[in-house]
Amino acid sequence: MLRKIIAVKGVGTFSGYGSKGDVTFRPFTALWGPNGVGKSTICDILRSLGANDAALILGRRSLGSGAEPEVELLFEAGKRIFRDGAWDTPGSPQVHVFDSCYIHENVFVGDYVEHDQKKNLYRVIVGEEGVTLAATVDELDERLREATKNAGAKRDVLKARLPDGMSVETYVALEADPEISDKIAAKEKEVSALQQAEAIGKRPLLSSVTVPKVPEDVDAILAMTLDGIGADAERLVREHVASTHAREAWLSEGLRLVRDEICPFCGQNAAETGILSSYRAFFSESYGALKERVSVRSKEVAASFGPAATQRLCTVIDRNVELGAEWAELVGAPWTATLDVGPLERAHDTLLNALQAKEATPLEPIAPIGGTAPLAEYDTLGGEVVAYNSLVSAFNAKAQEVRERAKSGNLQQANRDLLILRAQAARFQNSRDAECAAYRASVATREALDKEKAEAKKRLDEHASSILGSYQEAINRFLQKFGATFRIKQMERRYAGGTPSSSYVLDINNAQVELGDRKTSRSERSFRNTLSGGDRSALALAFFLAQVERDPHVATKIVVLDDPFTSQDRGRRLATQQEIRRLRTRAAQVIVLSHDDAFLTDCCSEVAAGDLKTLQLRRGLTGPMIEEWNLDAPRGQALQDRQRLKEFLAEGSGDASQLRGIARMIRPLLEAYLRGRFLGKFKENDWLGDMIGILRVNEDKLPEGPVLPQELGEINEFSKRYHHAQNPGADTEPIDETELRTYVERTLVVADGF
């Protein structure tokens, strides 16, 4: 239990600290003080001590003061000192503090319930055991994030070395392959082939060759003669040819020009010479047919066996050699086949010479050439052509397979496979094996932490499951006592962001409203637009009271409440006071701070005198100071006046005389306030105008400077119109309720301690 605040320096409004009289705290301590004098600073000091969190004090260093924060408190177990940025003794007393900080951290901030409030409230709900479990989950979550980050960094190092399509896990799991070099070479060859796929698809195959057949009737033609031609006719024609050097063809053509037996050359009567009849016999139709047959064969032989045919054959053979060289690597075999075209040339010469001889002397038989050496050699060439074409077919079959593979192959996949093979080869070079081992270790650590966190989370969930329902029930019970028209439902845990948090909905007139957050549209129903300020305060206090009620160790703890009645409706005043008094029967100590002295007075009723201590916190010359506060001091009229002014603001008033009575309460209330704040500074008979004059002379010593005297002067200017000492016509002075309300509000702002 806290016994006394000995010293506070350099914290919040406490640039220094003083006390007067017996300021020893008791099991139920009421501390009255106006706003801004240091009540919240005291709450943060006690919260810092209970949580052993120095930041709560360091963050409240007094502005404009170079002094480092120092605090000295006296407890039943001894002193607790904050100096040099830390509390001196671990194991500080446990404290429950309800104030605006509790509300903002655990229930709502402004108009919203954000994730931070849900997360902190969860810790409040699950209690000390749950907090320990939640802290374990948080610690493991933090370690897991670091382990994940570490594994990710190592993963990134490895990933930078990998080809597309290979995962880090696959890379790390690779084993050394003694045949990897051969596999890479084979895959490179495949890639090369696929890169040439289009060209391969268009590349021509080898061509087979053909050679002409020797006409079967050559020897028969060479041996042919014409029967039925008289020997004299033949002799005469030949003699004539020999004597005139004429050719048979020339004579045959001239014979067709003979008309009426007249020689077309000399104009003589050819019939008289007898030669004409010999010509006709010699150049008969049979003779012409023989000549034609020999001529046709000669032309065929020239075309089929001649130089042009030989050149075509050579072109095909040479082209096959070129194509064979291009295909050789792809089909895996060289092309070495060739043909000798000499037999074709020699067969041509033999055939053409014989036929030309026959053409020259059609009626004379020519010796057969069928068995001669050139044609026998040519027969051998035919067999070679067959063998050559067989090789062409086999070679083309292999080339066609390459074409099909190239056509159906996937160059992208082949390149990926090649990169994977190269990555596999590099996997066991230099320091990469060590990098893989480090990654595997980091993954193992991450997985172990993930498993450990899951187990801790399960224990927390099991603990929370047994608490959430009863906690919700307790909150709703307090809301009922406060006369709230809403309840909470569906209280549950969630794991948004990886850490546990609480979630619930508001039940208003049997309609369920989600809490929402800062991003929730104003057009949607949510916490921000369905609960009044008083409802929010009631909800926050209900959360706090449920927490304290469910604390199994509350009998050893200090419960601190700072202005628990702020913003609540007047109808909840009594219920709040009852719950505060009930805390005294359960907690080791209850400390209530408020600027509302009437509220504190009611809270202290029915508390045994031996357990009760009433103190006041006011501004001293060197900073805030605590002194005794006597509930029975002659301040009763000021308290009643203040309460009447508050009721006027809440309910209004009736006729002009009642309004004038309200206006006359302003001056004595402010006079009582100033006498209480500035003890010993005013004479007994000083009235408000005198006090304002003294304050103006000493305004450089006031924390507010000239603001306070100026505000008091303006309020006094209004108030004195309704006092006979300043206005003989005060009873008939017109009064406007709207104007009166404004000055009553300003009066209560100044005298917020009453």
Side-chain angles (χ1 to χ4, degrees):
M1 186 172 73
L2 175 65
R3 301 296 294 169
K4 187 180 293 186
I5 298 176
I6 299 175
V8 182
K9 178 182 178 182
V11 185
T13 59
F14 287 83
S15 55
Y17 167 75
S19 63
K20 182 178 180 181
D22 180 10
V23 292
T24 302
F25 284 55
R26 292 184 183 173
F28 193 97
T29 300
L31 180 59
W32 168 82
N35 289 332
V37 76
K39 299 192 300 298
S40 62
T41 301
I42 292 175
C43 288
D44 272 344
I45 288 173
L46 294 175
R47 178 183 284 108
S48 169
L49 176 64
N52 193 24
D53 186 354
L56 294 173
I57 291 181
L58 296 176
R60 292 187 66 105
R61 290 184 180 92
S62 297
L63 298 176
S65 171
E68 285 299 311
E70 291 187 13
V71 178
E72 186 174 350
L73 306 176
L74 177 63
F75 288 84
E76 287 182 326
K79 291 183 179 180
R80 296 290 188 270
I81 298 174
F82 184 93
R83 185 176 292 127
D84 297 329
W87 289 100
D88 62 337
T89 306
S92 299
Q94 294 297 300
V95 183
H96 286 298
V97 180
F98 177 81
D99 59 358
S100 60
C101 181
Y102 174 90
I103 296 172
H104 295 161
E105 287 184 351
N106 303 302
V107 188
F108 63 87
V109 55
D111 293 337
Y112 310 100
V113 180
E114 299 287 3
H115 178 65
D116 283 345
Q117 284 82 52
K118 297 176 183 178
K119 183 172 62 176
N120 294 336
L121 180 60
Y122 186 82
R123 288 168 170 75
V124 168
I125 294 172
V126 298
E128 291 182 6
E129 181 182 354
V131 167
T132 300
L133 290 171
T136 300
V137 172
D138 284 350
E139 178 193 1
L140 290 170
D141 186 64
E142 180 62 28
R143 290 171 60 192
L144 180 59
R145 280 197 294 269
E146 286 299 317
T148 301
K149 182 179 178 181
N150 182 42
K154 290 179 169 54
R155 178 188 181 88
D156 290 342
V157 171
L158 295 175
K159 193 173 182 179
R161 309 182 188 282
L162 303 185
D164 291 341
M166 174 177 277
S167 68
V168 171
E169 286 70 22
T170 299
Y171 178 74
V172 171
L174 289 174
E175 297 180 356
D177 186 349
E179 299 178 356
I180 192 67
S181 296
D182 293 339
K183 291 180 179 179
I184 290 175
K187 187 58 67 174
E188 287 174 342
K189 181 177 178 181
E190 179 183 348
V191 168
S192 177
L194 290 172
Q195 288 173 338
Q196 302 176 47
E198 184 175 359
I200 290 173
K202 295 179 179 179
R203 182 181 296 174
L205 301 177
L206 276 63
S207 299
S208 59
V209 298
T210 59
V211 291
K213 292 183 177 180
V214 175
E216 297 179 354
D217 61 351
V218 170
D219 281 345
I221 291 174
L222 293 176
M224 286 182 63
T225 61
L226 292 179
D227 295 333
I229 299 177
D232 290 340
E234 184 177 357
R235 177 180 57 78
L236 288 172
V237 171
R238 293 193 183 284
E239 288 178 352
H240 186 73
V241 168
S243 62
T244 61
H245 303 288
R247 294 185 176 277
E248 290 184 8
W250 183 80
L251 293 175
S252 176
E253 184 64 23
L255 182 62
R256 287 196 292 274
L257 298 176
V258 175
R259 298 289 183 270
D260 298 328
E261 303 299 321
I262 300 300
C263 177
F265 307 110
C266 64
Q268 298 182 35
N269 190 334
E272 295 178 358
T273 63
I275 191 66
L276 191 56
S277 59
S278 296
Y279 281 172
R280 287 194 174 105
F282 188 86
F283 295 111
S284 63
E285 290 183 5
S286 297
Y287 177 81
L290 173 60
K291 293 276 290 180
E292 179 65 22
R293 189 171 180 182
V294 174
S295 175
V296 168
R297 288 292 180 271
S298 294
K299 292 177 181 178
E300 290 176 352
V301 167
S304 300
F305 290 81
T310 301
Q311 184 58 46
R312 286 194 299 272
L313 179 59
C314 289
T315 299
V316 172
I317 294 170
D318 292 343
R319 180 59 174 157
N320 282 351
V321 170
E322 294 175 1
L323 292 173
E326 294 176 5
W327 282 105
E329 182 179 358
L330 296 175
V331 303
W335 174 256
T336 58
T338 186
L339 283 174
D340 180 11
V341 299
L344 178 63
E345 294 174 335
R346 289 187 284 276
H348 166 265
D349 293 343
T350 300
L351 287 169
L352 192 59
N353 289 337
L355 288 171
Q356 287 178 342
K358 183 63 175 175
E359 275 191 293
T361 56
L363 297 180
E364 293 182 2
I366 303 298
I369 58 175
T372 60
L375 292 187
E377 182 184 26
Y378 185 73
D379 287 340
T380 302
L381 176 62
E384 293 174 355
V385 167
V386 172
Y388 179 89
N389 286 340
S390 178
L391 293 175
V392 167
S393 296
F395 192 89
N396 282 346
K398 293 179 181 179
Q400 187 60 35
E401 290 179 5
V402 173
R403 270 184 173 179
E404 294 301 322
R405 285 198 303 271
K407 181 179 179 181
S408 62
N410 187 328
L411 178 59
Q412 185 178 4
Q413 182 61 48
N415 272 320
R416 187 179 300 116
D417 293 343
L418 178 59
L419 290 174
I420 290 173
L421 288 172
R422 288 173 176 168
Q424 183 177 1
R427 160 73 172 78
F428 299 94
Q429 297 174 358
N430 302 325
S431 61
R432 296 189 183 181
D433 196 43
E435 292 173 352
C436 291
Y439 172 70
R440 280 196 298 264
S442 68
V443 170
T445 299
R446 183 192 65 196
E447 291 175 348
L449 286 171
D450 191 49
K451 182 179 179 181
E452 190 176 353
K453 178 190 171 184
E455 293 172 351
K457 179 174 169 288
K458 180 181 178 182
R459 292 193 298 271
L460 175 60
D461 289 346
E462 291 171 350
H463 173 75
S465 295
S466 65
I467 291 177
L468 287 171
S470 58
Y471 194 82
Q472 174 180 299
E473 181 181 347
I475 292 169
N476 286 332
R477 186 173 69 253
F478 285 116
L479 289 174
Q480 181 182 21
K481 289 183 178 182
F482 293 148
T485 58
F486 69 95
R487 300 292 184 268
I488 67 169
K489 288 189 176 181
Q490 300 179 21
M491 179 166 273
E492 61 183 3
R493 66 185 172 279
R494 292 182 180 175
Y495 282 93
T499 54
S501 63
S502 63
S503 177
Y504 57 91
V505 298
L506 302 172
D507 185 45
I508 304 174
N509 297 328
N510 295 321
Q512 294 184 357
V513 178
E514 295 288 341
L515 295 178
D517 55 26
R518 194 176 302 273
K519 297 178 182 178
T520 303
S521 171
R522 291 183 179 272
S523 63
E524 297 181 30
R525 292 185 301 180
S526 65
F527 177 91
R528 84 189 285 187
N529 54 26
T530 54
L531 292 188
S532 67
D535 283 339
R536 296 175 190 179
S537 297
L539 178 62
L541 184 57
F543 274 122
F544 179 78
L545 293 174
Q547 174 192 359
V548 175
E549 180 182 81
R550 296 188 56 78
D551 184 352
H553 308 295
V554 67
T556 65
K557 295 185 179 180
I558 301 170
V559 178
V560 182
L561 302 103
D562 181 18
D563 275 330
F565 189 64
T566 301
S567 299
Q568 291 200 36
D569 298 336
R570 294 181 66 252
R572 294 168 182 164
R573 180 188 187 97
L574 178 60
T576 302
Q577 292 165 348
Q578 290 172 339
E579 292 304 323
I580 291 174
R581 289 197 295 267
R582 195 161 69 91
L583 286 174
R584 169 64 196 96
T585 65
R586 305 188 69 237
Q589 185 179 34
V590 176
I591 301 173
V592 186
L593 304 92
S594 179
H595 71 280
D596 189 332
D597 55 346
F599 175 76
L600 282 179
T601 300
D602 291 340
C603 286
C604 294
S605 65
E606 301 182 14
V607 177
D611 290 339
L612 177 64
K613 185 66 177 182
T614 57
L615 302 171
Q616 66 174 328
L617 180 67
R618 65 179 182 83
R619 293 179 179 89
L621 296 177
T622 59
M625 67 180 297
I626 294 179
E627 59 187 12
E628 292 181 276
W629 179 43
N630 187 356
L631 294 179
D632 298 324
R635 292 158 28 112
Q637 186 59 51
L639 292 175
Q640 293 177 18
D641 288 349
R642 176 185 173 280
Q643 185 61 31
R644 184 69 187 91
L645 293 180
K646 293 186 70 174
E647 290 174 355
F648 164 70
L649 291 179
E651 302 171 3
S653 188
D655 56 30
S657 62
Q658 291 175 317
L659 295 178
R660 189 170 287 104
I662 294 294
R664 288 172 177 171
M665 293 178 187
I666 292 176
R667 191 182 75 181
L669 176 61
L670 291 175
E671 289 173 351
Y673 162 71
L674 293 174
R675 293 184 189 281
R677 178 174 176 184
F678 302 104
L679 294 176
K681 301 299 181 183
F682 306 116
K683 296 177 182 179
E684 189 65 30
N685 59 350
D686 282 342
W687 61 281
L688 183 58
D690 299 324
M691 294 177 176
I692 294 171
I694 293 171
L695 291 176
R696 282 175 174 159
V697 172
N698 296 278
E699 65 184 21
D700 57 329
K701 300 177 182 179
L702 298 175
E704 302 93 336
V707 174
L708 179 60
Q710 180 179 340
E711 179 68 3
L712 289 170
E714 292 177 0
I715 297 173
N716 185 47
E717 185 178 0
F718 167 80
S719 174
K720 68 184 182 181
R721 288 155 45 186
Y722 304 100
H723 290 274
H724 292 285
Q726 287 81 33
N727 181 12
D731 290 339
T732 59
E733 179 74 22
I735 188 166
D736 180 78
E737 183 173 351
T738 301
E739 182 185 30
L740 175 61
R741 179 179 295 275
T742 299
Y743 281 95
V744 168
E745 289 175 346
R746 293 172 68 176
T747 298
L748 291 176
V749 169
V750 173
D752 60 357
F754 286 93

